[in-house]
Amino acid sequence: MKKTLLITLAMVCAWLAQAQLPNPGFESWQTQQLYEEPEDYYTNSLTLYLNGGPVNVTQVPGASGAAARLETVLVQGDTVAGYIANDPTFFRGIPFFSQPDSVRITARYNILPGDTAQFAFLFKRNGIPFFFPENFIGLTGQQNTFVTQTFPLN
């Protein structure tokens, strides 16, 4: 099953005044082996590349500039969702000094019926991860043009 999700300005959150996200619009990309990744971010493209699968995070035109296209692809009989993270180990991150109250994304998407695209935001306090249900944002349906949406966080 193929899902496509185009994201620009993903993770542009309320804390931008305290902590500047690197490459927030996915404008800069760098070549890694035979594929490209958004600069300052990590994807699962290396795993797919090593297993003979197609790259499922690519640069495409966005609402204003570039965007990152995430797809779910079939590799060796299993589906692999595209993802982007600002830390491959989840031990680091971007420090900020106040609690964000919302996340704003600009996206267009085509999620097949019965499927869901998922955003997950990991926050840490004193180095310890904590999750709230609001940190998981699901998208369904179809949006043919880029639209900006704001989601509250706890």
Side-chain angles (χ1 to χ4, degrees):
M1 190 178 307
K2 191 174 186 179
K3 296 184 278 188
T4 303
L5 178 63
L6 296 177
I7 306 166
T8 60
L9 303 176
M11 302 177 294
V12 175
C13 302
W15 72 83
L16 279 178
Q18 289 83 22
Q20 198 66 17
L21 289 175
N23 193 16
F26 301 122
E27 297 294 328
S28 301
W29 290 64
Q30 58 192 5
T31 301
Q32 302 287 340
Q33 307 299 326
L34 298 175
Y35 59 89
E36 288 188 321
E37 284 194 324
E39 193 172 302
D40 299 314
Y41 290 92
Y42 302 88
T43 69
N44 55 340
S45 295
L46 177 61
T47 303
L48 290 169
Y49 172 74
L50 294 174
N51 286 293
V55 173
N56 63 350
V57 178
T58 55
Q59 184 181 27
V60 296
S64 61
R69 176 182 179 146
L70 283 68
E71 293 183 89
T72 298
V73 296
L74 189 63
V75 178
Q76 299 177 5
D78 199 3
T79 55
V80 180
Y83 77 85
I84 293 177
N86 67 353
D87 176 24
T89 64
F90 301 105
F91 290 113
R92 296 183 308 247
I94 299 171
F96 56 96
F97 302 101
S98 64
Q99 182 172 338
D101 61 5
S102 62
V103 175
R104 186 175 65 228
I105 64 167
T106 300
R108 76 174 183 198
Y109 46 89
N110 182 17
I111 312 301
L112 297 179
D115 221 340
T116 302
Q118 190 83 30
F119 292 94
F121 299 93
L122 172 67
F123 296 100
K124 295 183 259 185
R125 183 174 292 134
N126 298 323
I128 300 170
F130 62 95
F131 290 94
F132 294 107
E134 294 82 7
N135 295 13
F136 296 89
I137 299 167
L139 294 176
T140 59
Q142 185 172 357
Q143 177 62 45
N144 293 325
T145 60
F146 283 97
V147 63
T148 299
Q149 296 174 296
T150 301
F151 300 93
L153 298 172
N154 272 345

